[in-house]
Amino acid sequence: MKKIIVSSVLAILSGFSAHNVVAKDFLNVSYDPTREFYQEYNKEFGEYWKQQTNQTIDFKQSHGGSGKQARSVIDGLQADVVTLALANDIEEIVNAGLIKKNWQKEFPYNSAPYTSTIVFLVRKGNPKGIKDWNDLTKPGVEIITPNPKTGGAPRWIYLSAWGYALKQPGGNDAKAKELVKKLYQNVKVLDSGARGSLTTFAERGIGDVLLSWENEALLATQGPDKDKYQIVYPSISILAEPSVAIVDKNVDKDGNRNLAKGYLNYLYSPKGQDLAAKYYFRPRNAQVAAKYAKQFPKVQTFTIGNVFGGWAKAQKTHFVNGAIFDQIYTEKK
């Protein structure tokens, strides 16, 4: 895989000459928890691109709930690439005619360069004794989680809980709906995105447990307030595969297609994978994964394809207006 990626990047670069020195603007529209990662990645890739092409790039970033970010691109935000929390958000941009339908075949692993999963961040000592998904339904447990209607992480969270219930002895959709309903009855604050939920939990001190991306939880336990929190890994969670894509209509208009290909290909390079792991995303590269093995505990996961039949079906069943999440959350009030 390493040789393939390096060859791919070099092939992209071969079309450039040393005379391409005019600075170009380049926008990556991403989801909430990738801010710090892409700040360093943009610097690293920018230096690499400069060495190869003598071209200076003015990188810009946009972050927010994944669903809201997709809508912003559809509504006119001039993204060159999108690096979003889930494939379905990119499919929404495809449906708007801005991205080609075969986008998942353009890069390895269905255009998902790293993975993550969903964990629980609790107060130090875990005073509510939260160990698994069923503990989140107990009376008196205050949950902080983002809104599945606007963010990517909360849809992974919701489906993780649903999948857990399905995989219990005698599990079925009715029991899963009941567990997830009880979980959302315990939600204290429903923020619009993952980073907002982390702020609510950590800075505002609200709630007993934050349902979180693994990378966000690991970041919290490595920061200046690391002694205030601990991570609980549930018995089973979902394999989250954040996706990337070139926004074809925009790059063809601004002449950034080769740059966009190089930018996303570099995510799969050893350096790109190492940076991802540094910011607590699980790398695809086996050698890099081995280097960071102690950082990422082994966790039993299931995929959205195996349990829910893919994102298109899950979105229609659970998250469109009037679907199961709306039924559950309306009933809460």
Side-chain angles (χ1 to χ4, degrees):
M1 176 62 72
K2 178 179 178 181
K3 291 182 178 179
I4 294 174
I5 298 301
V6 171
S7 297
S8 181
V9 173
L10 291 176
I12 290 165
L13 297 177
S14 64
F16 286 86
S17 72
H19 301 292
N20 293 312
V21 295
V22 178
K24 293 181 69 68
D25 290 338
F26 186 87
L27 175 60
N28 174 6
V29 173
S30 196
Y31 62 111
D32 260 336
T34 62
R35 289 173 174 84
E36 296 82 4
F37 167 51
Y38 279 114
Q39 283 172 3
E40 185 166 351
Y41 180 84
N42 287 344
K43 180 180 178 181
E44 176 69 29
F45 176 76
E47 292 173 355
Y48 170 78
W49 191 259
K50 175 74 170 179
Q51 290 175 354
Q52 299 296 324
T53 68
N54 201 31
Q55 186 180 50
T56 300
I57 308 300
D58 182 11
F59 289 103
K60 292 180 171 61
Q61 300 170 223
S62 174
H63 299 271
S66 187
K68 290 181 67 176
Q69 291 293 84
R71 174 50 55 185
S72 294
V73 174
I74 293 169
D75 289 344
L77 184 61
Q78 294 296 298
D80 293 286
V81 298
V82 288
T83 56
L84 297 178
L86 43 87
N88 190 75
D89 289 331
I90 295 180
E91 285 296 329
E92 294 294 330
I93 305 173
V94 171
N95 293 337
L98 301 177
I99 294 176
K100 295 176 182 177
K101 291 183 178 180
N102 65 346
W103 65 273
Q104 283 188 303
K105 296 180 180 179
E106 191 156 5
F107 301 99
Y109 301 105
N110 291 320
S111 293
Y114 48 79
T115 69
S116 190
T117 192
I118 300 301
V119 301
F120 310 154
L121 188 67
V122 299
R123 308 291 175 190
K124 196 69 174 181
N126 194 7
K128 292 295 177 76
I130 297 166
K131 298 179 180 179
D132 216 339
W133 292 99
N134 58 313
D135 294 320
L136 301 175
T137 67
K138 294 178 179 179
V141 174
E142 293 187 348
I143 297 170
I144 306 300
T145 184
N147 189 341
K149 305 288 282 190
T150 56
R155 277 173 275 177
W156 290 114
I157 290 165
Y158 172 107
L159 295 176
S160 293
W162 194 284
Y164 162 84
L166 287 180
K167 290 182 175 292
Q168 300 311 296
N172 55 42
D173 281 331
K175 291 181 179 179
K177 183 176 181 180
E178 185 63 21
L179 181 142
V180 174
K181 175 183 175 182
K182 289 181 178 178
L183 185 157
Y184 279 94
Q185 286 175 336
N186 280 348
V187 171
K188 181 72 173 178
V189 178
L190 199 69
D191 287 291
S192 62
R195 187 55 62 88
S197 285
L198 179 61
T199 299
T200 296
F201 182 76
E203 296 184 15
R204 296 173 62 196
I206 299 173
D208 302 305
V209 54
L210 171 69
L211 308 187
S212 172
W213 287 112
E214 178 185 40
N215 56 286
E216 287 279 84
L218 286 169
L219 191 65
T221 58
Q222 300 301 315
D225 295 327
K226 61 183 180 181
D227 294 332
K228 294 182 179 180
Y229 316 110
Q230 65 188 68
I231 298 174
V232 174
Y233 281 83
S235 62
I236 189 169
S237 194
I238 200 164
L239 178 66
E241 299 180 284
S243 299
V244 303
I246 295 171
V247 185
D248 296 288
K249 188 172 182 179
N250 292 345
V251 298
D252 287 341
K253 181 174 63 177
D254 63 24
N256 278 350
R257 176 168 291 279
N258 284 330
L259 172 57
K261 285 184 178 180
Y263 184 88
L264 295 184
N265 262 318
Y266 197 74
L267 286 169
Y268 295 88
S269 71
K271 182 60 178 179
Q273 290 284 285
D274 192 81
L275 280 176
K278 177 182 176 180
Y279 287 95
Y280 307 111
F281 300 98
R282 294 188 178 227
R284 297 284 198 180
N285 182 292
Q287 290 181 326
V288 177
K291 176 183 175 182
Y292 288 88
K294 292 183 179 180
Q295 179 172 289
F296 299 111
K298 291 184 179 180
V299 58
Q300 182 181 353
T301 60
F302 58 86
T303 68
I304 188 168
N306 289 341
V307 175
F308 298 96
W311 266 113
K313 185 175 180 180
Q315 180 74 13
K316 183 177 180 180
T317 301
H318 295 276
F319 305 120
V320 299
N321 291 338
I324 293 175
F325 174 74
D326 281 351
Q327 299 166 19
I328 288 171
Y329 202 65
T330 299
E331 290 173 12
K332 166 188 178 284
K333 298 177 179 179

